[in-house]
């Protein structure tokens, strides 16, 4: 059966679909010895697909889904050319072949999904699926109630218009307070940049929920495999989608 190359590579745990597209553009993928082109289809049961000269195995890799409570000080990437600690360092041998879904900046904490499932990666990171993410944010600043109202309006950051967020006050102190911020886009450092617009200094930021996945009482730096129910939820997010991406 003919399938798009990026889908074949993601289904076999080699890379997410977006990463596979980058590999194809870079000329790292061949089909029957010929350099592949973006958008090309192939039949893995009849054709030889190679990445960096190594044949792609015909069978599907076992799908793995790990929920990690990322601590501060780790970068959300598979490897870092500056030698910094990555989230894969926290998983040890269990992390072999996995990648992080989305990003949490080095100073942020909380829920981070690790997987080798390219389809799940796509539905959680592509804005068209509108998977809501909840961040608990400790901030320092004045007039917090008024600023919560402003944070819920559509904002423009670096010339880009963002969708309105949902913001709830959890606690208030003389110096600031604690907020729950819900967004669906997840731009780079989006919550921090939103707070900066209103002179709110972010002291701590923890992602506590992504869609129906919850951090719960998982300790900082620890991880667990998803339950069958959680995996089922992820599989159902993009059920209506096909080869659109």
């Amino acid at each position: 059966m003919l399938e798009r190359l990026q889908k074949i590579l993601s289904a076999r745990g080699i890379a997410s679909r977006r990463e596979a597209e980058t590999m194809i553009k870079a000329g790292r993928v061949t089909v029957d010895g010929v350099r592949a082109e973006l958008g090309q289809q192939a039949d893995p049961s009849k054709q030889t697909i190679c990445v960096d000269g190594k044949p792609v195995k015909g069978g599907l890799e076992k799908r793995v889904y790990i929920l990690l409570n990322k601590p501060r000080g780790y970068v959300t990437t598979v490897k870092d050319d500056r030698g910094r600690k990555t989230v894969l360092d926290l998983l040890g041998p269990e992390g072999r072949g996995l990648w992080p879904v989305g990003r949490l900046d080095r100073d942020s904490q909380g829920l981070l999904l690790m997987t080798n499932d390219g389809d799940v990666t796509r539905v959680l990171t592509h804005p068209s699926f509108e998977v809501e993410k909840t961040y608990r944010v400790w901030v320092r600043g004045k007039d917090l109630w008024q600023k919560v109202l402003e944070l819920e309006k559509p904002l423009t950051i670096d010339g880009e218009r963002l969708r309105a967020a949902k913001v709830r006050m959890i606690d208030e102190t003389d110096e600031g307070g604690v907020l729950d911020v819900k967004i669906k886009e997840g731009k780079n450092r989006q919550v921090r940049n939103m707070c900066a617009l209103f002179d709110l200094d972010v002291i701590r930021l923890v992602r506590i929920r992504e869609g129906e996945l919850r951090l719960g009482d998982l300790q900082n730096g620890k991880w667990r495999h998803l339950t069958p129910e959680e995996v089922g939820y992820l599989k159902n997010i993009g059920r209506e989608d096909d080869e659109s991406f």
Side-chain angles (χ1 to χ4, degrees):
M1 178 183 295
L2 289 174
E3 298 178 282
R4 294 193 186 210
L5 281 173
Q6 56 262 44
K7 183 176 181 180
I8 294 171
L9 297 180
S10 69
R12 283 150 181 79
I14 294 171
S16 68
R17 289 199 189 187
R18 291 195 179 186
E19 290 171 337
E21 290 177 359
T22 300
M23 295 164 68
I24 294 169
K25 290 178 182 178
R28 297 173 57 192
V29 183
T30 60
V31 179
D32 292 336
V34 180
R35 177 173 171 170
E37 298 180 357
L38 192 62
Q40 182 175 340
Q41 293 185 324
D43 186 341
S45 67
K46 298 178 180 179
Q47 296 176 283
T48 302
I49 303 168
C50 295
V51 175
D52 297 331
K54 298 180 180 180
V56 173
K57 296 179 181 179
L60 297 178
E61 297 289 336
K62 179 183 178 182
R63 302 298 176 89
V64 179
Y65 310 89
I66 287 178
L67 192 154
L68 168 70
N69 186 348
K70 176 197 170 298
R72 286 177 173 174
Y74 287 80
V75 293
T76 307
T77 186
V78 173
K79 57 183 178 180
D80 183 67
D81 56 10
R82 295 165 58 185
R84 295 174 296 180
K85 296 180 293 185
T86 77
V87 290
L88 280 178
D89 293 328
L90 295 163
L91 302 185
E94 291 284 341
R96 188 175 295 112
L98 306 187
W99 57 75
V101 178
R103 287 186 176 274
L104 280 174
D105 65 64
R106 191 180 183 190
D107 294 326
S108 297
Q109 304 168 239
L111 189 157
L112 183 66
L113 180 65
M114 308 289 295
T115 188
N116 57 358
D117 189 328
D119 290 333
V120 163
T121 300
R122 177 170 56 91
V123 299
L124 285 180
T125 56
H126 199 280
S128 66
F129 292 97
E130 298 188 336
V131 177
E132 192 172 68
K133 305 168 184 68
T134 304
Y135 299 83
R136 184 149 294 170
V137 192
W138 286 255
V139 297
R140 182 184 296 123
K142 298 179 180 179
D143 303 319
L144 196 55
W145 278 108
Q146 180 60 39
K147 290 176 180 179
V148 165
L149 298 177
E150 295 297 323
L151 282 167
E152 288 195 309
K153 298 177 181 179
L155 304 174
T156 299
I157 297 178
D158 294 331
E160 184 173 7
R161 190 71 165 173
L162 303 177
R163 299 179 186 180
K166 299 176 184 177
V167 185
R168 182 165 66 100
M169 176 87 76
I170 301 299
D171 189 25
E172 184 179 22
T173 67
D174 292 338
E175 297 184 346
V178 183
L179 308 176
D180 271 2
V181 180
K182 297 182 179 181
I183 59 175
K184 291 183 178 180
E185 290 159 310
K187 303 292 184 181
N188 185 37
R189 299 177 68 86
Q190 180 174 336
V191 175
R192 292 182 182 275
N193 290 335
M194 289 168 58
C195 291
L197 285 178
F198 302 102
D199 297 319
L200 293 177
D201 185 20
V202 175
I203 307 303
R204 185 184 178 203
L205 188 151
V206 181
R207 183 156 62 198
I208 60 174
R209 183 172 177 176
E210 185 166 9
E212 295 302 316
L213 301 182
R214 300 171 185 268
L215 185 63
D217 57 3
L218 186 64
Q219 294 184 358
N220 192 36
K222 301 299 183 180
W223 57 268
R224 65 172 176 82
H225 289 280
L226 294 193
T227 67
E229 291 76 16
E230 289 171 326
V231 173
Y233 156 72
L234 294 176
K235 296 285 190 179
N236 284 328
I237 295 177
R239 177 161 286 182
E240 296 87 13
D241 184 54
D242 49 22
E243 291 292 328
S244 301
F245 302 97

